[in-house]
Amino acid sequence: MKTKHDDLAGYLVSIALAFIAASSPALAQDDRDESSAKVSDEGEQQEPDIEEPIALGYLENVRIGNLGLALKGKLDTGADTSSIHARDVEVYKRSPRDNWVRFRLVGKGGRSIRYDQNVIRFAQIKTKRGGTIRRPVIRLPICVGGVAANAEINLADRADFEYDVLIGREFLANRIIVDAGQKYAAEADCETDKDE
């Protein structure tokens, strides 16, 4: 004989399963928009190319920029954008509304690369002592564990921090799951510099 407890348990299980299906793209495949599906040359429907996020440690080797400057980085789900230790930062204008920034990055082994980049915006970053600091934000390619994409990076003075680059949610989202119990867990590598 069914009791009120059995009905309640069944109801709660159905709510939990509905929540999981709604929040997990892998489980909610039937709810996808049909327009996202590809059609093969033979007219058959194919699955869209969706890469699953990979799991990496909270510390990983990182490559920055088109030349792939090698750095040790911290993957931080608490930071909105990525941040990098930039030296000799000089913001200037090419026109009244066009901000640019010159700076230098230093990687593992002391390799130094100079950049001259367009500033896409300025970020107000909260400091530990209270207040904010204004930092230029640029776009550069980032590669971590074989996952590469252009990302917003704010230029910071991270001399007091152990890691020169911090990878934030804007880059991590839908690409990388951070396992806080792991370090250097990447199985895939990013392309290496010819100079290293």
Side-chain angles (χ1 to χ4, degrees), residues 17-148:
L17 290 174
F19 176 76
I20 291 169
S23 63
S24 173
L27 295 176
Q29 289 182 0
D30 294 339
D31 296 334
R32 282 189 310 227
D33 180 5
E34 289 181 22
S35 64
S36 67
K38 292 182 180 178
V39 177
S40 71
D41 292 338
E42 293 82 30
E44 295 175 10
Q45 193 172 359
Q46 295 177 330
E47 294 295 315
D49 293 332
I50 299 173
E51 291 196 27
E52 290 293 319
I54 65 167
L56 296 177
Y58 79 99
L59 299 177
E60 292 290 348
N61 291 309
V62 177
R63 296 264 176 194
I64 300 288
N66 291 328
L67 298 176
L69 184 67
L71 298 160
K72 287 183 182 176
K74 181 177 179 183
L75 282 56
D76 186 352
T77 60
D80 289 332
T81 58
S82 299
S83 182
I84 194 162
H85 179 55
R87 301 171 192 204
D88 307 324
V89 176
E90 177 192 350
V91 176
Y92 67 99
K93 289 187 176 287
R94 287 196 176 173
S95 69
R97 292 181 158 192
D98 195 17
N99 291 300
W100 283 70
V101 62
R102 290 183 189 105
F103 61 97
R104 187 168 55 93
L105 300 180
V106 178
K108 291 183 195 177
R111 181 174 180 227
S112 177
I113 299 177
R114 294 189 181 281
Y115 290 87
D116 194 14
Q117 295 280 136
N118 182 249
V119 176
I120 59 172
R121 65 184 172 87
F122 288 92
Q124 295 292 333
I125 308 295
K126 292 179 184 176
T127 64
K128 288 181 181 178
R129 291 179 233 140
T132 60
I133 187 167
R134 184 175 183 243
R135 292 185 187 162
V137 179
I138 60 165
R139 278 199 166 277
L140 278 179
I142 294 178
C143 184
V144 183
V147 177

Side-chain angles (χ1 to χ4, degrees), residues 143-164:
C143 184
V144 183
V147 177
N150 282 325
E152 291 186 2
I153 303 175
N154 70 62
L155 304 179
D157 179 356
R158 294 184 55 82
D160 294 335
F161 293 91
E162 189 173 350
Y163 302 99
D164 285 337

